[in-house]
Amino acid sequence: TPRSKEVLIQTGAVGSPYLDVGMQRVSPNMMDMMEIFKGLPMLGEANNPSEQTELFRYKLQLCKIVFDFDKNEENSTSTLQNGPHSSTELLYGKELKRKTLLELVEYVNSERGQKIFAAVNMMEEVIDMVSINIFRPLPPQEDEYDPEEDDPVLETAWPHLQVVYEFLLRFVMSKEVPSKTAKRKGVIDQKFCLRLIHMFDSEDPRERDYLKTILHRVYGKFMSHRQFIRTQIGYTFQRFVYETQRHNGISELLEILGSIINGFVLPLKEEHQSFLRTSLIPLHKPKMVALYHQQLNYCIVQY
């Protein structure tokens, strides 16, 4: 409603910068925003397409609030520097965001709903919301961590992240997001692809599975990014072999490559032969080769 829009602007929900508070980002007036968004109607209740589009934008703004799931709720009031928020308020905020994310995913789950991606500046706003949520510093692994023996550390923010990834997957697959348009607008560019590849080092296998599916879809849809993606995956392998000796997503990246290599035409380009020599064959050297040997062997056989 016009009144909601006015209050959203006054509280900073529209066009306001976000504050970095340690590992989390919250808006300057988080709970004020929550109260406003609580009163917003469902997307299906909008009176006309124009109102529906604006409502969609407001809900994207709500989903840019990133909560810190690692903090003990009992101590949450002392961790937020932008005002006192009780544990009850924070729990309510987390649930409201999750429900809003689920509503957005359900709305764009049809071709009719996906037409909203074609609205002015909507692609940019979608990728902004997605980027704020999924691109984050990954916690350092403990020195004694053994991926063959120890259980992975699961992402505590998964109740939100999972739905964000579902939303991103539908966005990437949508016919309303043509590759040329998305590239021209700079929403699915090389920087975005590189950041996706970096997130493969997440310890959470659920996250890596989503990343594998999404990056594979991006590779298939955005032909102009294919060489860049292959090159960056190759650099990731080389850093793993010659520098870090630790990476959580080697097997998932190899699964993507297995499908890519299967599509190579004969005779093989020099670029592809070089990739085999410099990026794939050296993967036999690390001690943890057993963790990804099946996927690596498939890639070698495809060659």
Side-chain angles (χ1 to χ4, degrees), residues 78-210:
S78 63
T79 63
L80 296 181
Q81 299 175 6
N82 64 319
H85 304 300
S86 68
S87 59
T88 302
E89 288 176 323
L90 292 173
L91 285 171
Y92 161 72
K94 290 176 182 178
E95 182 59 21
L96 178 58
K97 175 179 176 178
R98 176 170 168 77
K99 288 181 178 179
T100 303
L101 283 167
L102 288 169
E103 183 189 4
L104 293 176
V105 170
E106 182 179 1
Y107 184 79
V108 300
N109 207 29
S110 66
E111 291 187 5
R112 180 181 178 183
Q114 289 176 9
K115 292 185 181 298
I116 203 165
F117 292 145
V120 177
N121 296 327
M122 187 62 77
M123 292 186 192
E124 294 89 335
E125 294 185 41
V126 165
I127 290 299
D128 188 39
M129 183 278 286
V130 168
S131 298
I132 286 173
N133 279 275
I134 69 175
F135 297 138
R136 63 204 188 279
L138 294 173
Q141 290 183 348
E142 298 180 359
D143 292 337
E144 61 272 17
Y145 175 73
D146 184 349
E148 296 188 69
E149 300 290 338
D150 300 331
D151 292 330
V153 177
L154 300 180
E155 175 57 58
T156 55
W158 191 245
H160 288 173
L161 282 175
Q162 179 183 15
V163 195
V164 174
Y165 277 119
E166 286 284 352
F167 184 76
L168 175 59
L169 181 58
R170 283 158 177 75
F171 177 79
V172 169
M173 294 173 60
S174 174
K175 295 179 181 179
E176 300 297 328
V177 185
S179 58
K180 291 183 178 179
T181 303
K183 181 184 176 184
R184 186 181 72 251
K185 290 177 174 288
V187 291
I188 304 291
D189 55 8
Q190 290 186 352
K191 180 181 178 181
F192 186 83
C193 295
L194 181 59
R195 297 176 82 182
L196 280 179
I197 293 171
H198 284 168
M199 295 309 298
F200 274 81
D201 202 17
S202 168
E203 280 193 49
D204 196 323
R206 302 170 300 180
E207 181 167 23
R208 298 198 304 271
D209 195 52
Y210 270 104

Side-chain angles (χ1 to χ4, degrees), residues 29-57:
N29 303 283
M30 184 180 71
M31 296 317 299
D32 289 340
M33 287 178 64
M34 290 297 177
E35 285 304 313
I36 298 299
F37 281 112
K38 180 182 178 181
L40 289 177
M42 301 290 286
L43 287 165
E45 298 173 355
N47 296 323
N48 54 65
S50 177
E51 183 178 318
Q52 208 164 42
T53 300
E54 289 306 301
L55 194 56
F56 194 90
R57 295 185 199 275

